[in-house]
Amino acid sequence: MAYQIVDSNYGKNWVKLLHVTRNGPEHTIREWEVCSELTLDSKDDYMSGDNSAIIATDSQKNTIYLLAKNHGLTTPEEFGLLLCRHFLAQYSHVNRVNILIKQHPWSRIQAADGPHEHAFVTVREAERGCQVRQLRGQQATVWAELNGLQVLKTTQSSFVNFVNDEYRSLPDAQDRVFSTVVSARWRYVCSQRLVDYDACWSAVREAILELFAGPARGGIFSPSVQNTLYLTQVRVLNRLPEVG
Ligand SMILES: O=c1[nH]c(=O)c2[nH]c(=O)[nH]c2[nH]1
């Protein structure tokens, strides 16, 4: 029986990077974990054991280290684009590159006498990540992610008038505690304009918190998780033309 491989990729998972920028005594850090996944133009490596086209996952790891050393770490999205461009330019038999990046949530320590020059603490409010994918001959596609944003409010939330049949046990709640963990993923529309990925990520986080919490006095009413989610998505799309 002959079988066909419909899709495949292989690569190095979660390569750790810690990059320190030293501006005199003031240091800035970025810590990322990077996955690279390559798809080659032939399946001979899988089907006949011919390794001659394989770019070893160890070489992929070294590539991530080298590009980080030579170019520094700006934003995860820009580094993902750089890796896609590099793999496609360096190896003519690579047809598709997929890069995943997770950023560790380090924040500068606020000492009693001000922001610390070189000491940091993990503040895991929400985790940032991205995916960048590029096929040979095509524009790259960039997705950003926000994960694990845990929120809770003690009023201004109800859930009533949902399907009432023999499977329902949940009573109507006119005033309930609303708590959830928010994950968001969005795609940047390709444009010639340079995207400020840091600012966009922060703007999405702000929109989520604004539509969840509302103003400090009085808050904002939520008839359901679904409606709050929808209004958040509308606000992001209205505010950020870069997101599509
Ligand atoms: O806002 C809500 N939406 C639901 O779909 C749902 N389902 C549930 O049990 N509680 C809630 N709350």
Side-chain angles (χ1 to χ4, degrees):
M1 184 90 84
Y3 295 99
Q4 203 189 347
I5 295 178
V6 177
D7 197 9
S8 67
N9 67 40
Y10 74 99
K12 199 73 175 175
N13 269 353
W14 309 125
V15 177
K16 286 181 186 296
L17 290 176
L18 174 67
H19 191 263
V20 183
T21 309
R22 293 183 175 83
N23 190 5
E26 191 185 301
H27 298 177
T28 303
I29 58 168
R30 289 217 180 215
E31 186 181 357
W32 295 348
E33 288 186 45
V34 182
C35 300
S36 70
E37 298 172 350
L38 304 182
T39 302
L40 308 185
D41 64 1
S42 105
K43 306 293 176 215
D44 287 350
D45 47 349
Y46 287 93
M47 299 185 73
S48 66
D50 176 356
N51 292 348
S52 56
I54 293 179
I55 300 135
T57 59
D58 193 65
S59 311
Q60 294 181 40
K61 179 193 68 185
N62 290 339
T63 304
I64 293 167
Y65 287 150
L66 256 169
L67 293 195
K69 186 168 193 276
N70 292 342
H71 297 265
L73 306 190
T74 50
T75 65
E77 292 83 358
E78 285 164 298
F79 192 64
L81 287 164
L82 181 72
L83 280 167
C84 284
R85 275 197 302 273
H86 170 87
F87 282 122
L88 289 170
Q90 181 76 15
Y91 306 107
S92 60
H93 64 295
V94 170
N95 271 356
R96 186 180 68 197
V97 185
N98 193 45
I99 304 293
L100 304 169
I101 302 178
K102 280 198 303 199
Q103 178 163 283
H104 191 90
W106 288 117
S107 283
R108 193 174 292 284
I109 288 177
Q110 296 300 318
D113 54 345
H116 203 283
E117 290 175 340
H118 57 253
F120 304 86
V121 62
T122 293
V123 179
R124 206 177 293 278
E125 184 200 81
E127 281 175 3
R128 179 170 169 182
C130 76
Q131 178 185 358
V132 184
R133 193 178 64 184
Q134 187 164 17
L135 277 65
R136 180 166 298 287
Q138 295 186 20
Q139 292 260 37
T141 309
V142 180
W143 293 267
E145 279 181 18
L146 175 154
N147 288 310
L149 181 62
Q150 191 165 11
V151 287
L152 182 151
K153 62 180 184 177
T154 51
T155 188
Q156 284 286 43
S157 165
S158 77
F159 187 55
V160 298
N161 297 332
F162 49 96
V163 172
N164 197 1
D165 59 12
E166 66 271 35
Y167 297 103
R168 172 171 166 173
S169 65
L170 192 68
D172 275 358
Q174 299 289 349
D175 186 11
R176 64 176 182 172
V177 170
F178 178 1
S179 179
T180 191
V181 180
V182 184
S183 291
R185 178 178 163 88
W186 59 98
R187 186 171 55 98
Y188 289 104
V189 188
C190 274
S191 71
Q192 297 312 309
R193 203 150 45 96
L194 272 183
V195 177
D196 183 340
Y197 293 108
D198 284 345
C200 285
W201 192 89
S202 298
V204 172
R205 177 192 159 277
E206 252 165 55
I208 293 168
L209 294 181
E210 276 169 20
L211 270 297
F212 177 78
R217 303 264 163 260
I220 188 172
F221 176 70
S222 165
S224 66
V225 175
Q226 285 86 337
N227 183 247
T228 298
L229 252 173
Y230 171 73
L231 295 176
T232 307
Q233 290 165 344
V234 168
R235 181 158 302 177
V236 167
L237 289 170
N238 285 343
R239 275 202 192 149
L240 299 176
E242 300 90 335
V243 173

